[in-house]
């Protein structure tokens, strides 16, 4: 082979090799790398309060991406929300967690399907708020039992249950929890045939996350059946304080009484004179909830202490008065005829009262009920009083019934005496009086202790002066505390102290009702 040919062959071979190398380099430069990088790869144990979190997404040139979310665990969805998005990142809002710990997988995908998908794990801690609330703060049950619906509001993490326990912590045998749902339950109470009783409803979380809720339950004591009203009588009036009066001041109570034919107008808050020295801004009547009866009742208060001695409507002579009474309007004698006693009609008055334990009566008089003429003559003294009295040393505390006639000839004085106050103290008593309003009239009084049905007083008088003369048209009932506290100086009876009287459930029945009250001077 000559040199020329040899050179040509070598040169050609080198050229081919060079071309092959060139082609190989050009192939490596043109190969694309389809990568997707998501940073960070997880958000672990996020706060239950929630917040915004940003994820960086790095893709090959010109790549476009999308994502989807798969929720796991609790079944709650939608708690990861897109807030802002660009080519390079995305910001998610993680909502506050009100339930158990939860988890989601966010999968990032290449829209063209070239790059491998990437996953972001998001986990959030359980809420740190575990609420359990009950609609009722306390439950009061009447003696004959019944049912109450209790509404319960609980966090998702709370699995509540309700049990009833007595004061000694044992399961109550007179309370049943039934018809339980996530939103509440029905509580059934058995009838009570004894003294007042108490229990507690315990609302607890089986998961032991929420705080226990305790709802006290009180049930009124059994009441002996009331005696039937005699034939011929028709109910003409009634009044029991309503729950809306709880915490109200005296003017509101007075307005309520007026709607039913009673009024609260003889007490220290409304004296005849403005300069009395009395506790005109103090509290002398209120409506309170009574445990035994399971209902609101009137509470009357009189004050005799080192700071204050109540008087009698602005006068401080020898007595103090805090009373309610049936209404009378002078311009229309018949307006309140259904609650007042009118000539020749028969009337039954019923009410309940409680004398607190330790009540100290005056040696002179402490009236808690009066039948008194409204107009005409001889009206300064009540016709009938139910009175409390003691000896000068405070002993022989007793209950009396006293009569005052129109004259010495018809005056009968003390009808009942020496009934021990101890039989009454701290106990609700059912009172019933029956009157025939005329000169030769009738009066009867029966006092029955509600707790055991014991009759504490039962008196009748078929020939008694039950009227006034010279202009009298109405005889009305008065209830409260009206007592002598001593004079020279005023309030000198050292035995006496602050006292209370409780009243409720007023009812009036009439027979031979007088629809046209007139002054009768027989």
């Amino acid at each position: 082979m000559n040199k020329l040919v040899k050179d040509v062959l070598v040169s050609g071979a080198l050229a081919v090799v060079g071309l092959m190398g060139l082609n190989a380099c050009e192939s490596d430069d043109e190969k694309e790398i389809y990568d997707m990088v998501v940073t960070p790869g997880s958000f672990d144990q996020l706060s239950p309060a929630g917040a915004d979190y940003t994820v960086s997404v790095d893709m090959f040139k010109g790549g476009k991406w999308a994502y989807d979310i798969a929720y796991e665990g609790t079944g709650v969805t939608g708690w990861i929300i897109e807030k802002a998005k660009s080519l390079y990142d995305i910001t998610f809002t993680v909502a506050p967690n009100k339930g158990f710990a939860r988890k989601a997988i966010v999968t990032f995908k290449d829209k063209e399907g070239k790059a491998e998908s990437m996953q972001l794990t998001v986990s959030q801690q359980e809420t740190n708020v575990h609420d359990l609330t009950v609609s009722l703060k306390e439950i009061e049950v009447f003696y004959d039992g019944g049912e109450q619906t209790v509404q319960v509001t609980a966090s998702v993490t709370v699995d509540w249950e309700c049990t009833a326990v007595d004061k000694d912590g044992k399961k109550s045998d007179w309370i049943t929890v039934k018809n339980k749902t996530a939103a509440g339950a029905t509580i059934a109470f058995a009838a009570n045939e004894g003294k007042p009783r108490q229990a507690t409803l315990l609302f607890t979380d089986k998961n032991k996350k929420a705080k226990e809720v305790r709802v006290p339950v009180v049930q009124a004591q059994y009441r002996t059946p009331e005696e039937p009203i005699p034939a011929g009588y028709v109910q003409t009036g009634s009044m029991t304080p309503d729950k809306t009066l709880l915490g109200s001041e005296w003017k509101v109570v007075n307005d309520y009484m007026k709607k039913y034919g009673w009024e609260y107008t003889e007490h220290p808050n409304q004296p005849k004179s403005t300069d009395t020295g009395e506790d005109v801004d103090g509290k002398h009547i209120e409506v309170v909830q009574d445990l035994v009866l399971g209902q609101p009742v009137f509470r009357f208060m009189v004050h005799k202490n080192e700071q204050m001695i109540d008087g009698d409507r602005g006068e401080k002579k020898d007595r103090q008065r805090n009373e309610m009474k049936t209404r009378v309007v002078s311009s229309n004698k018949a307006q309140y005829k259904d609650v007042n006693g009118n000539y020749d009609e028969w009337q039954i008055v019923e009410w309940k009262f409680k004398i607190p334990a330790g009540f100290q009566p005056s040696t002179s008089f402490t009236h808690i009920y009066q039948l008194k003429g409204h107009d005409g003559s001889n009206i300064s003294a009540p016709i009938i009083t139910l009175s409390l009295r003691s000896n000068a040393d405070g002993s022989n505390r007793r209950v009396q019934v006293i009569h005052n006639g129109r004259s010495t000839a018809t005056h009968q004085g003390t009808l009942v005496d020496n009934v021990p106050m101890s039989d009454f103290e701290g106990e609700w008593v059912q009172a019933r009086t029956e009157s025939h309003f005329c000169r030769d009239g009738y009066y009867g009084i029966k006092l029955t202790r509600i707790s055991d049905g014991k009759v504490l007083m039962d008196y009748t008088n078929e020939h008694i002066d039950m009227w006034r003369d010279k202009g009298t048209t109405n005889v009305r009932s008065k209830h409260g505390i009206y007592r002598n506290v001593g004079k020279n100086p005023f309030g000198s009876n050292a035995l006496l102290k602050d006292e209370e009287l409780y009243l409720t459930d007023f009812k009036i029945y009439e027979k031979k009702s007088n629809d046209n009250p007139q002054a009768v001077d027989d």
Side-chain angles (χ1 to χ4, degrees):
M1 181 180 296
N2 62 34
K3 185 178 182 300
L4 176 61
V5 173
K6 184 178 180 181
D7 291 341
V8 169
L9 290 174
V10 172
S11 299
L14 292 172
V16 170
V17 173
L19 287 172
M20 291 177 63
L22 179 61
N23 288 337
C25 290
E26 288 177 356
S27 176
D28 288 343
D29 289 343
E30 290 177 359
K31 184 179 179 181
E32 287 282 358
I33 300 175
Y34 301 106
D35 286 336
M36 176 189 290
V37 179
V38 175
T39 308
S42 66
F43 292 114
D44 293 327
Q45 297 294 303
L46 298 180
S47 165
D52 293 341
Y53 300 91
T54 300
V55 181
S56 173
V57 182
D58 185 12
M59 287 196 67
F60 60 89
K61 184 177 181 181
K64 296 182 179 180
W65 54 274
Y67 70 92
D68 59 36
I69 304 174
Y71 296 95
E72 299 179 357
T74 64
V76 179
T77 62
W79 50 277
I80 299 177
I81 303 169
E82 179 184 311
K83 182 177 182 181
K85 181 182 178 184
S86 70
L87 290 175
Y88 308 106
D89 56 32
I90 183 169
T91 299
F92 292 112
T93 296
V94 176
N97 187 7
K98 297 181 180 180
F100 294 102
R102 53 193 180 183
K103 182 179 179 181
I105 304 296
V106 183
T107 302
F108 293 85
K109 301 177 181 179
D110 172 15
K111 287 186 175 181
E112 297 179 3
K114 296 177 180 179
E116 183 180 350
S117 297
M118 300 295 292
Q119 289 187 335
L120 167 70
T121 301
V122 181
S123 64
Q124 189 177 27
Q125 297 174 9
E126 177 178 289
T127 179
N128 51 21
V129 177
H130 309 285
D131 287 328
L132 176 61
T133 58
V134 180
S135 60
L136 299 177
K137 302 298 183 186
E138 61 181 2
I139 298 177
E140 296 164 351
V141 187
F142 202 53
Y143 72 90
D144 57 355
E147 294 185 350
Q148 289 260 23
T149 298
V150 180
Q151 296 176 340
V152 178
T153 303
S155 301
V156 175
T157 58
V158 175
D159 182 11
W160 65 271
E161 60 182 350
C162 177
T163 55
V165 297
D166 287 323
K167 290 190 295 184
D168 58 3
K170 297 181 179 179
K171 185 177 180 180
S172 172
D173 59 0
W174 56 278
I175 300 178
T176 304
V177 181
K178 63 181 188 177
N179 301 333
K180 180 183 179 297
T181 67
T186 300
I187 315 296
F189 306 95
N192 185 12
E193 297 183 355
K195 292 285 188 179
R197 55 187 178 184
Q198 303 178 38
T200 302
L201 290 177
L202 298 179
F203 292 83
T204 55
D205 178 14
K206 294 179 183 178
N207 295 327
K208 298 183 179 180
K209 298 177 183 293
K211 197 173 182 180
E212 176 185 84
V213 178
R214 303 173 69 90
V215 178
V217 180
V218 294
Q219 186 175 33
Q221 74 178 53
Y222 173 72
R223 298 190 194 180
T224 54
E226 295 182 6
E227 293 184 45
I229 299 300
Y233 278 95
V234 176
Q235 186 169 354
T236 57
S238 66
M239 179 183 63
T240 296
D242 187 79
K243 278 192 173 183
T244 58
L245 297 175
L246 295 172
S248 298
E249 57 103 25
W250 73 267
K251 291 181 181 179
V252 176
V253 176
N254 185 37
D255 289 341
Y256 179 87
M257 288 184 177
K258 287 180 178 179
K259 293 190 297 184
Y260 300 95
W262 278 263
E263 60 187 0
Y264 178 62
T265 58
E266 296 185 351
H267 55 88
N269 291 106
Q270 195 174 36
K272 295 177 181 179
S273 169
T274 57
D275 185 18
T276 67
E278 287 191 88
D279 187 17
V280 295
D281 296 323
K283 182 178 290 186
H284 299 92
I285 190 172
E286 64 179 348
V287 173
V288 297
Q289 188 72 10
D290 183 75
L291 167 62
V292 172
L293 299 183
Q295 66 182 64
V297 300
F298 296 114
R299 177 189 180 209
F300 284 70
M301 295 161 279
V302 290
H303 304 112
K304 184 185 180 301
N305 53 61
E306 293 181 357
Q307 290 74 39
M308 178 56 58
I309 304 177
D310 293 326
D312 180 12
R313 297 163 295 173
E315 295 182 343
K316 288 195 167 187
K317 294 182 178 179
D318 65 346
R319 62 196 61 191
Q320 56 185 193
R321 184 193 306 264
N322 187 19
E323 293 181 306
M324 58 175 282
K325 58 192 176 186
T326 52
R327 298 198 75 192
V328 173
V329 176
S330 298
S331 60
N332 184 355
K333 302 292 186 181
Q335 183 172 352
Y336 294 104
K337 63 180 179 59
D338 291 338
V339 294
N340 290 305
N342 307 122
Y343 188 79
D344 201 30
E345 73 181 12
W346 289 74
Q347 186 184 74
I348 289 176
V349 179
E350 289 187 338
W351 74 99
K352 294 180 177 68
F353 68 90
K354 182 175 73 171
I355 302 169
F359 191 111
Q360 179 58 56
S362 170
T363 58
S364 179
F365 66 87
T366 302
H367 301 328
I368 60 173
Y369 163 71
Q370 301 178 63
L371 271 179
K372 193 171 185 180
H374 167 251
D375 46 7
S377 62
N378 309 104
I379 61 171
S380 59
I383 300 172
I384 295 288
T385 64
L386 177 63
S387 300
L388 312 179
R389 197 181 300 270
S390 76
N391 293 345
D393 61 358
S395 63
N396 191 21
R397 294 179 306 130
R398 60 198 187 274
V399 181
Q400 301 175 318
V401 178
I402 301 169
H403 171 260
N404 287 280
R406 284 180 288 183
S407 65
T408 303
T410 63
H411 178 71
Q412 296 192 24
T414 301
L415 305 176
V416 181
D417 198 2
N418 295 317
V419 178
M421 268 186 59
S422 57
D423 287 345
F424 293 78
E425 290 178 280
E427 295 276 357
W428 278 102
V429 174
Q430 177 67 57
R432 176 188 283 188
T433 64
E434 185 174 13
S435 305
H436 182 202
F437 294 104
C438 60
R439 180 179 289 278
D440 186 19
Y442 173 94
Y443 183 75
I445 182 169
K446 188 173 185 178
L447 305 180
T448 305
R449 193 163 59 201
I450 291 175
S451 63
D452 57 5
K454 181 179 179 180
V455 177
L456 306 179
M457 180 186 295
D458 192 358
Y459 171 84
T460 58
N461 190 324
E462 297 182 356
H463 299 283
I464 186 171
D465 183 3
M466 292 294 291
W467 196 245
R468 292 294 184 249
D469 54 12
K470 297 180 181 178
T472 298
T473 57
N474 286 282
V475 174
R476 57 187 180 181
S477 299
K478 303 180 73 175
H479 305 264
I481 303 175
Y482 176 41
R483 66 176 179 173
N484 182 285
V485 292
K487 62 180 179 179
N488 299 324
F490 171 69
S492 57
N493 189 331
L495 285 175
L496 304 186
K497 60 186 185 343
D498 292 359
E499 297 292 0
E500 301 174 353
L501 178 71
Y502 295 83
L503 298 163
T504 192
D505 287 354
F506 296 89
K507 297 177 183 177
I508 295 178
Y509 304 85
E510 291 187 349
K511 181 173 66 174
K512 290 180 59 179
S513 292
N514 183 346
D515 294 330
N516 184 29
Q518 298 293 322
V520 177
D521 299 327
D522 58 348

